[in-house]
Coordinates of all heavy atoms in Angstrom, one line a residue:
T68 N 130.4 96.6 100.2 CA 129.5 96.2 99.2 C 128.0 96.5 99.6 O 127.3 97.1 98.9 CB 129.6 94.7 98.8 OG1 130.9 94.5 98.3 CG2 128.5 94.4 97.7
L69 N 127.7 96.2 100.9 CA 126.4 96.4 101.4 C 126.1 97.9 101.5 O 125.0 98.4 101.1 CB 126.3 95.8 102.8 CG 124.9 95.7 103.4 CD1 123.9 95.0 102.5 CD2 125.0 95.0 104.7
T70 N 127.1 98.7 101.9 CA 126.9 100.2 101.9 C 126.7 100.7 100.5 O 125.9 101.6 100.3 CB 128.1 100.8 102.6 OG1 128.3 100.3 103.9 CG2 128.0 102.3 102.7
T71 N 127.5 100.2 99.5 CA 127.3 100.7 98.2 C 125.9 100.4 97.7 O 125.3 101.2 97.0 CB 128.3 100.0 97.2 OG1 129.6 100.3 97.7 CG2 128.1 100.3 95.8
I72 N 125.4 99.2 98.0 CA 124.0 98.8 97.6 C 123.0 99.7 98.2 O 122.1 100.3 97.6 CB 123.7 97.4 97.9 CG1 124.6 96.5 97.0 CG2 122.3 97.0 97.7 CD1 124.7 95.0 97.5
V73 N 123.1 99.9 99.5 CA 122.2 100.8 100.2 C 122.3 102.2 99.7 O 121.3 102.9 99.5 CB 122.4 100.8 101.8 CG1 121.6 101.8 102.5 CG2 122.1 99.4 102.3
D74 N 123.5 102.7 99.4 CA 123.7 104.0 98.9 C 123.0 104.2 97.6 O 122.4 105.2 97.3 CB 125.1 104.4 98.8 CG 125.3 105.8 98.4 OD1 124.8 106.7 99.2 OD2 126.0 106.1 97.4
R75 N 123.0 103.2 96.7 CA 122.3 103.2 95.4 C 120.8 103.4 95.6 O 120.2 104.2 95.0 CB 122.6 101.9 94.6 CG 122.1 102.0 93.2 CD 122.4 100.7 92.4 NE 123.9 100.4 92.4 CZ 124.4 99.3 92.8 NH1 123.6 98.3 93.1 NH2 125.7 99.1 92.7
Y76 N 120.3 102.6 96.5 CA 118.8 102.7 96.9 C 118.5 104.1 97.4 O 117.5 104.7 97.0 CB 118.4 101.7 97.9 CG 118.1 100.3 97.4 CD1 119.0 99.6 96.6 CD2 116.9 99.7 97.7 CE1 118.7 98.4 96.1 CE2 116.6 98.5 97.2 CZ 117.5 97.8 96.4 OH 117.1 96.6 95.9
Y77 N 119.4 104.6 98.2 CA 119.3 105.9 98.8 C 119.3 107.0 97.7 O 118.4 107.9 97.7 CB 120.4 106.1 99.8 CG 120.2 107.1 100.9 CD1 119.5 106.8 102.0 CD2 120.7 108.4 100.8 CE1 119.3 107.6 103.1 CE2 120.5 109.3 101.9 CZ 119.8 108.9 103.0 OH 119.6 109.8 104.0
Q78 N 120.2 106.9 96.8 CA 120.4 107.9 95.7 C 119.2 107.9 94.8 O 118.8 108.9 94.2 CB 121.7 107.7 95.0 CG 122.9 108.0 95.8 CD 123.0 109.4 96.4 OE1 122.6 110.3 95.8 NE2 123.4 109.4 97.7
Q79 N 118.6 106.7 94.6 CA 117.5 106.6 93.6 C 116.2 106.9 94.3 O 115.1 106.9 93.7 CB 117.4 105.1 93.2 CG 118.5 104.7 92.3 CD 118.5 103.2 92.1 OE1 119.4 102.7 91.4 NE2 117.6 102.4 92.6
D80 N 116.2 107.2 95.6 CA 115.0 107.5 96.3 C 114.0 106.3 96.3 O 112.8 106.5 96.1 CB 114.3 108.8 95.8 CG 113.2 109.3 96.8 OD1 113.3 109.1 98.0 OD2 112.3 110.0 96.3
T81 N 114.6 105.1 96.4 CA 113.9 103.9 96.4 C 112.9 103.8 97.5 O 111.7 103.3 97.4 CB 114.8 102.7 96.4 OG1 115.6 102.7 95.3 CG2 114.0 101.4 96.4
W82 N 113.3 104.3 98.7 CA 112.4 104.2 99.9 C 111.6 105.5 100.0 O 112.2 106.6 100.2 CB 113.3 104.0 101.1 CG 114.0 102.7 101.1 CD1 113.5 101.5 101.0 CD2 115.4 102.5 101.2 NE1 114.5 100.5 101.0 CE2 115.7 101.1 101.2 CE3 116.5 103.4 101.4 CZ2 116.9 100.6 101.3 CZ3 117.7 102.9 101.5 CH2 118.0 101.5 101.5
R83 N 110.4 105.4 99.8 CA 109.5 106.6 100.0 C 109.3 106.9 101.4 O 109.6 106.1 102.3 CB 108.1 106.3 99.3 CG 108.2 105.9 97.9 CD 108.6 107.2 97.1 NE 108.5 106.9 95.7 CZ 109.2 107.5 94.8 NH1 110.1 108.4 95.1 NH2 109.1 107.2 93.5
G84 N 108.8 108.1 101.7 CA 108.6 108.5 103.0 C 107.3 107.9 103.7 O 107.2 107.9 104.9
D85 N 106.4 107.4 102.9 CA 105.3 106.7 103.4 C 104.9 105.5 102.6 O 105.5 105.2 101.6 CB 104.1 107.7 103.5 CG 103.6 108.2 102.1 OD1 103.4 107.3 101.2 OD2 103.5 109.4 101.9
L86 N 104.0 104.7 103.1 CA 103.6 103.5 102.5 C 102.3 103.6 101.7 O 101.7 102.6 101.3 CB 103.4 102.4 103.6 CG 104.6 102.1 104.4 CD1 104.2 101.3 105.6 CD2 105.7 101.4 103.6
V87 N 101.8 104.8 101.4 CA 100.6 105.0 100.7 C 100.7 104.5 99.3 O 101.6 105.0 98.5 CB 100.1 106.4 100.8 CG1 98.8 106.6 100.0 CG2 99.9 106.9 102.2
F88 N 99.9 103.5 98.9 CA 99.9 102.9 97.5 C 99.1 103.8 96.6 O 97.9 103.7 96.6 CB 99.4 101.5 97.6 CG 99.6 100.7 96.4 CD1 100.5 101.0 95.4 CD2 98.9 99.5 96.3 CE1 100.7 100.2 94.3 CE2 99.1 98.7 95.2 CZ 100.0 99.0 94.2
K89 N 99.7 104.7 95.9 CA 99.0 105.7 95.1 C 98.6 105.0 93.8 O 99.1 104.1 93.3 CB 100.0 106.9 94.8 CG 100.3 107.6 96.1 CD 101.2 108.8 95.8 CE 101.4 109.7 97.0 NZ 102.0 109.0 98.2
E90 N 97.5 105.7 93.2 CA 96.9 105.1 92.0 C 97.9 105.0 90.8 O 97.9 104.1 90.0 CB 95.7 105.9 91.6 CG 94.9 105.2 90.5 CD 93.5 105.8 90.3 OE1 93.2 106.8 91.0 OE2 92.8 105.3 89.5
E91 N 98.8 106.0 90.7 CA 99.8 106.0 89.6 C 100.7 104.8 89.7 O 101.0 104.1 88.7 CB 100.7 107.3 89.6 CG 99.9 108.6 89.6 CD 99.4 109.0 91.0 OE1 100.1 109.0 91.9 OE2 98.2 109.3 91.0
A92 N 101.1 104.4 90.9 CA 102.0 103.3 91.1 C 101.2 102.0 90.9 O 101.8 101.0 90.3 CB 102.6 103.3 92.6
F93 N 100.0 102.0 91.3 CA 99.1 100.8 91.0 C 99.0 100.6 89.5 O 99.0 99.5 89.0 CB 97.7 101.1 91.7 CG 96.7 99.9 91.5 CD1 96.9 98.8 92.2 CD2 95.7 100.1 90.6 CE1 95.9 97.7 92.1 CE2 94.7 99.0 90.5 CZ 94.9 97.9 91.2
S94 N 98.7 101.7 88.7 CA 98.6 101.6 87.3 C 99.9 101.1 86.6 O 99.9 100.2 85.7 CB 98.2 102.9 86.7 OG 97.0 103.3 87.1
L95 N 101.0 101.6 87.1 CA 102.3 101.1 86.6 C 102.5 99.6 86.8 O 102.9 98.9 86.0 CB 103.5 101.9 87.2 CG 104.9 101.5 86.7 CD1 105.0 101.6 85.2 CD2 105.9 102.4 87.4

Side-chain angles (χ1 to χ4, degrees):
T68 301
L69 194 54
T70 301
T71 298
I72 293 167
V73 171
D74 187 58
R75 186 177 308 127
Y76 275 54
Y77 204 80
Q78 295 302 321
Q79 294 172 178
D80 195 26
T81 298
W82 297 304
R83 300 291 186 206
D85 63 52
L86 301 166
V87 178
F88 192 14
K89 295 181 175 57
E90 190 166 3
E91 305 82 48
F93 181 75
S94 295
L95 178 57

